[in-house]
């Protein structure tokens, strides 16, 4: 039988052709960059989770940045040049990040970069930024810079210099102030990155405030049925129940608590997900009484920051069309603030020089739509500002009730307080 | 003698070309994208040794790949071992895993073997998620060593990957052309008949799972230094299983060239899709191309070429 393929020489020719094809495609891809340079706008590049696990937050974050871009361009751009966002979908997969950012820097020739959303997507960017001495703005990363101590990294989530205790501190401070003072604590969390960190912080604070731990356990992130966990907690009769969880388990814990009738004196703490519009509208009155961390709430104290009302109006208008989180109260104001900081730094230094920008950002207090922002140790906010909010008087599952104040009352910190805690937890349920 | 020397020479030329490319310091994006594509060349070639030659479809590719990656993470954490050690150790651990899996699943054939390998990936991922030392489920940042050759670490990784790809392809070619390859082919076509004819099927299968595992581990070992952040979800990503299977299928599973063609074509297409159209298109492209090939050209591009030439 004739087997031409067995003749080695022809196979090498084919391989050569394939390799040639591959090189050719890259040359073409590279050539695109030269065409794009003609218009000469200031380009800001980033990868963003538009698909995958974090896309529910990645898309609103992108929308907020686009609103900023439009706002800036309306005012004539930066340094007299218009601003353009160049972004790719990182698929919530850290392995795509190195490729995306090299493409941004070397092919698209972006002038500035920001990170994508979330700790895991910021982590692979650190090495690239350090190698090229870039200034990076991080979006909601937890302690990304602990290991690197890279001076040109700045992070917009208001966790503060001690991210481990930032979630829990308001919760336990509030608990300690209540009358009658709660005595016993149950802490529980998922066996995953953020919950573990939050639990470590919680344990420190329990010691500091002199509470007594009666339950301290973790559960695997794949847990589906939370009833046994909640029953075990109920059996301890703890006054305080602190939960550190990711969105699916936050919902699961809350439903189980409702079912089992768990009624501690104060309940919540570090539950990720309750801040999201989709979760709020699906949980409805089940949220009443929960005291949980948050970064933003439509309360008068938060709406006082200049520009935020206009931003939210524009965001909510566009969100409907874009089909993303319709309220945008968790991440969008901060992702807008992130590019605001970068833009203000460019304007003030009149430069795109990475080092100059970093020096300026490090030294300056910025005025943004989320308030005054000053960066400190490791590029985190110099002073943490994680809020503690309590869900109050939530009725039904309508979305409109969450647009205005009164449903998510800010209890902590003192300077942003917008109402009083309903204590104990059971009182808020009725 | 001359016949054996030619591929070796070609291999050396490819490695030299890789080094020249690194020294030239062309657009750095080329090295990043090239690294991923070459990683796929190694993976597809490794998969094909078991899947193509022996006909045992392995869905557990991510398990072997991640074993390589996590062995590297462990060694970086504990002794900051240099890259060659990481690659060798990653390969050996994955080879052991392959040998173990070979032993455990010897009685399983066809779809049952595939399911067992898939289960392996799930089990290992759970183990890693609960192993705090290598980052657990939260993942771990890895610092690259300073002062790499060629000025940038990724450029260096690129040349290393060129070398690994060449080695993988040479190994595959050697297996295919030797009595081992013929034995594996016999085993693929009819295991009982091969056994009756005196083909040592047991030893051959173990050999194939071990070598395939070794090369998959080798592909995974540089991963921590490429991404600088390793977490279980991306190291055990299903994409690796799909790609490692789709690439040889598209290229052609019967020859060592098939996986290379498949990996280069599909890998390039995916890299371009990520930064041009939308990364959602990534797996979509793989899916569509795979379905098209399975239906229209079940023997891959090689089969297609062969058929066209035969006419």
């Amino acid at each position: 039988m004739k087997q031409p393929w067995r003749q080695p020489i022809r196979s090498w020719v084919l391989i050569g052709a394939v390799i040639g094809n591959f090189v050719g495609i890259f040359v073409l891809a590279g050539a695109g960059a030269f065409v794009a340079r003609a218009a000469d706008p200031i380009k800001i590049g980033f990868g963003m989770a538009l698909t995958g696990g974090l896309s529910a937050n990645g898309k609103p974050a992108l929308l907020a940045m686009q609103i900023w871009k439009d706002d800036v361009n309306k005012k004539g751009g930066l340094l007299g040049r218009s601003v353009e966002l160049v972004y790719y979908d990182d698929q919530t997969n850290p392995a795509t990040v190195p490729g995306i950012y090299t493409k941004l820097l070397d092919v698209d020739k972006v002038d500035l970069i920001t990170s994508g959303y979330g700790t895991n997507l910021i982590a692979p960017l650190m090495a690239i930024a350090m190698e090229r001495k870039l200034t990076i703005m991080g979006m909601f990363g937890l302690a990304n810079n602990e290991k690197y101590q890279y001076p040109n990294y700045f992070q917009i989530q208001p966790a503060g210099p001690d991210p481990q205790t930032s979630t829990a501190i308001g919760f336990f401070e509030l608990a300690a102030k209540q009358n009658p003072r709660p005595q016993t604590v149950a802490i529980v969390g998922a066996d995953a990155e953020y919950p573990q960190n939050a639990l470590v912080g919680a344990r420190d604070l329990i010691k500091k405030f002199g509470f007594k731990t009666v339950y301290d356990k973790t559960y695997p992130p794949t847990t589906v049925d939370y009833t046994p966990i909640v029953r075990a907690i109920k059996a301890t009769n703890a006054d305080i129940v602190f939960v550190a969880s990711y969105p699916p388990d936050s919902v699961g814990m809350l439903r189980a608590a409702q079912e089992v009738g768990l009624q501690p004196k104060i309940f919540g703490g570090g539950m990720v997900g309750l801040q999201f519009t989709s979760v709020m509208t699906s949980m409805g009155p089940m949220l009443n009484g929960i005291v949980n961390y948050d970064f933003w709430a439509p309360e008068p104290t938060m709406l006082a920051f200049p520009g935020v009302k206009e931003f939210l109006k524009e965001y909510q208008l566009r969100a409907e069309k874009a089909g993303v989180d319709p309220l945008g109260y968790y991440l969008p104001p901060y992702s807008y603030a992130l590019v605001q900081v970068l833009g203000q730094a460019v304007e003030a230094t009149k430069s795109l020089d990475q080092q100059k920008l970093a020096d300026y950002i490090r030294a300056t207090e910025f005025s943004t739509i989320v308030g005054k922002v000053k960066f400190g140790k490791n590029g985190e906010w110099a002073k943490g500002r994680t809020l503690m909010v309590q869900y109050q008087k939530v009725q039904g599952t309508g979305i409109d009730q969450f647009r205005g104040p009164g449903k998510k009352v800010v209890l902590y910190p003192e300077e942003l307080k917008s109402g009083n805690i309903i204590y104990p937890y059971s009182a808020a349920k009725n | 003698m001359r016949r054996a020397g030619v591929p070796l020479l070609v291999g050396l030329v490819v490695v030299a070309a890789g080094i020249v490319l690194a020294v030239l310091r062309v657009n750095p994006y080329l090295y990043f994208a090239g690294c991923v594509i070459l990683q796929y060349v190694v993976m597809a070639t490794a998969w094909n040794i078991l899947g193509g030659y022996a006909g045992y479809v392995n869905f557990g590719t991510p398990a072997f790949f991640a074993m390589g990656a996590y062995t590297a993470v462990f060694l970086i954490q504990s002794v900051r071992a240099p890259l060659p050690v990481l690659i060798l150790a990653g390969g050996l651990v994955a080879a052991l895993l392959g040998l173990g899996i070979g032993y455990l699943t010897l009685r399983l054939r066809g779809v049952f073997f595939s399911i067992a390998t898939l289960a392996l990936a799930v089990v290992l991922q759970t183990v890693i998620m609960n192993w705090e030392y290598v980052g657990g489920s939260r993942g771990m940042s890895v610092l690259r060593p300073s002062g790499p050759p060629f000025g940038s670490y990724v450029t260096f990784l690129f040349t290393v990957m060129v070398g690994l790809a060449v080695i993988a392809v040479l190994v595959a070619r050697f297996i295919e052309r030797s009595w081992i390859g013929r034995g594996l082919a016999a085993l693929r076509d009819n295991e009982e008949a091969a056994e009756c004819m005196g083909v040592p099927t047991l030893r051959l299968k173990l050999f194939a799972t071990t070598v395939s595992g070794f090369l998959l581990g080798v592909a995974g070992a540089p991963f921590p230094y490429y991404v600088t952040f390793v977490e279980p979800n991306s190291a055990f990503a299903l994409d690796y299983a799909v790609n490692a299977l789709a690439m040889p299928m598209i290229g052609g599973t019967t020859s060592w060239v098939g996986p290379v063609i498949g990996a280069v074509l599909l890998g390039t297409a995916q890299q371009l899709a990520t930064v041009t159209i939308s990364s959602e298109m990534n797996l979509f492209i793989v899916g569509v191309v795979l379905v098209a090939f399975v239906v229209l050209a079940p023997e891959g591009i090689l089969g297609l070429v062969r058929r066209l030439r035969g006419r």
Side-chain angles (χ1 to χ4, degrees), chain B residues 2-38:
Chain B
R2 208 183 137 259
R3 283 177 70 91
V6 172
L8 211 59
L9 201 69
V10 174
L12 284 175
V13 169
V14 174
V15 174
I19 293 172
V20 169
L21 204 58
V23 174
L24 283 179
R25 306 196 65 175
V26 289
N27 196 326
Y29 176 56
L30 183 79
Y31 303 120
F32 273 87
C35 257
V36 177
I37 294 166
L38 288 164

Side-chain angles (χ1 to χ4, degrees), chain A residues 2-6 8 10-12 14-15 18-19 21-23 25-26 29-30 50-51 88-100 102-103 106-107 109 119-121 123-128 130-132 144 147-148 164 191-194 196-197 221, chain B residues 3 6-7 10 27-30 32-34 37 77 129-130 132 137-138 140-144 151-154 173 176-177 223 226-229 231 234 237 239-240 254-257 260-261 264-265 268 271-272 274-276 278-280 282 301-302 305-306 309:
Chain A
K2 195 185 165 199
Q3 275 195 312
W5 193 247
R6 291 286 167 188
R10 298 210 183 145
S11 54
W12 295 119
L14 190 62
I15 293 241
V18 169
I19 290 173
N21 176 24
F22 151 72
V23 170
I25 288 170
F26 275 103
L50 303 177
T51 56
Y88 302 113
D89 178 8
D90 62 31
Q91 305 161 56
T92 321
N93 180 358
T96 60
V97 171
I100 285 175
T102 0
K103 168 82 165 44
D106 297 320
V107 180
K109 311 270 182 202
T119 311
N120 289 4
L121 285 314
L125 177 56
M126 297 300 286
I128 299 171
M130 287 167 73
E131 200 174 285
R132 300 178 184 232
N144 275 99
K147 203 165 182 175
Y148 300 106
Q164 235 164 15
D191 200 359
E193 179 218 348
Y194 150 75
Q196 288 303 314
N197 273 327
Chain B
R3 283 177 70 91
V6 172
V10 174
N27 196 326
Y29 176 56
L30 183 79
F32 273 87
I37 294 166
Q77 266 292 87
M129 278 184 138
N130 289 292
E132 217 30 58
S137 59
R138 77 180 70 170
M140 175 175 279
S141 290
V142 176
L143 290 173
R144 286 177 186 156
S152 122
Y153 205 83
V154 170
R173 188 179 181 277
E176 183 192 325
R177 308 248 160 140
F223 181 75
Y226 171 75
V227 196
T228 68
F229 176 72
E231 51 104 30
S234 59
D239 302 21
Y240 294 123
T254 49
S255 162
W256 59 272
V257 201
V260 178
I261 295 175
V264 170
L265 285 182
T268 313
Q271 285 299 307
L272 288 177
T274 306
V275 292
T276 47
S278 134
S279 60
E280 265 176 321
N282 256 340
I301 292 176
L302 287 189
V305 171
R306 222 175 285 164
R309 284 193 183 178

Side-chain angles (χ1 to χ4, degrees), chain A residues 127-164:
Chain A
I128 299 171
M130 287 167 73
E131 200 174 285
R132 300 178 184 232
K133 301 191 170 52
L134 301 173
T135 296
I136 25 171
M137 300 296 303
M139 188 185 293
F140 279 42
L142 195 73
N144 275 99
N145 205 13
E146 295 275 285
K147 203 165 182 175
Y148 300 106
Q149 313 255 327
Y150 179 54
N152 297 358
Y153 169 80
F154 306 97
Q155 200 282 120
I156 199 71
Q157 177 175 308
D162 189 8
Q164 235 164 15

Side-chain angles (χ1 to χ4, degrees), chain A residues 183-201:
Chain A
Q183 302 296 326
T184 53
V185 191
I187 60 172
V188 64
D191 200 359
E193 179 218 348
Y194 150 75
Q196 288 303 314
N197 273 327
L199 289 182
V200 170

Side-chain angles (χ1 to χ4, degrees), chain B residues 148-204:
Chain B
F150 309 120
S152 122
Y153 205 83
V154 170
T155 315
F156 171 57
L157 271 187
F158 172 77
T159 55
V160 171
M161 288 308 285
V162 172
L164 294 180
V166 166
I167 292 170
V169 170
L170 286 177
V171 168
R173 188 179 181 277
F174 168 76
I175 291 178
E176 183 192 325
R177 308 248 160 140
S178 68
W179 65 271
I180 303 170
R182 286 192 291 279
L184 289 172
L187 188 157
R188 175 185 60 208
D189 293 339
N190 189 331
E191 204 164 324
E192 281 86 3
E195 183 82 53
C196 294
M197 293 298 286
V199 177
T201 54
L202 169 63
R203 269 190 289 157
L204 282 178

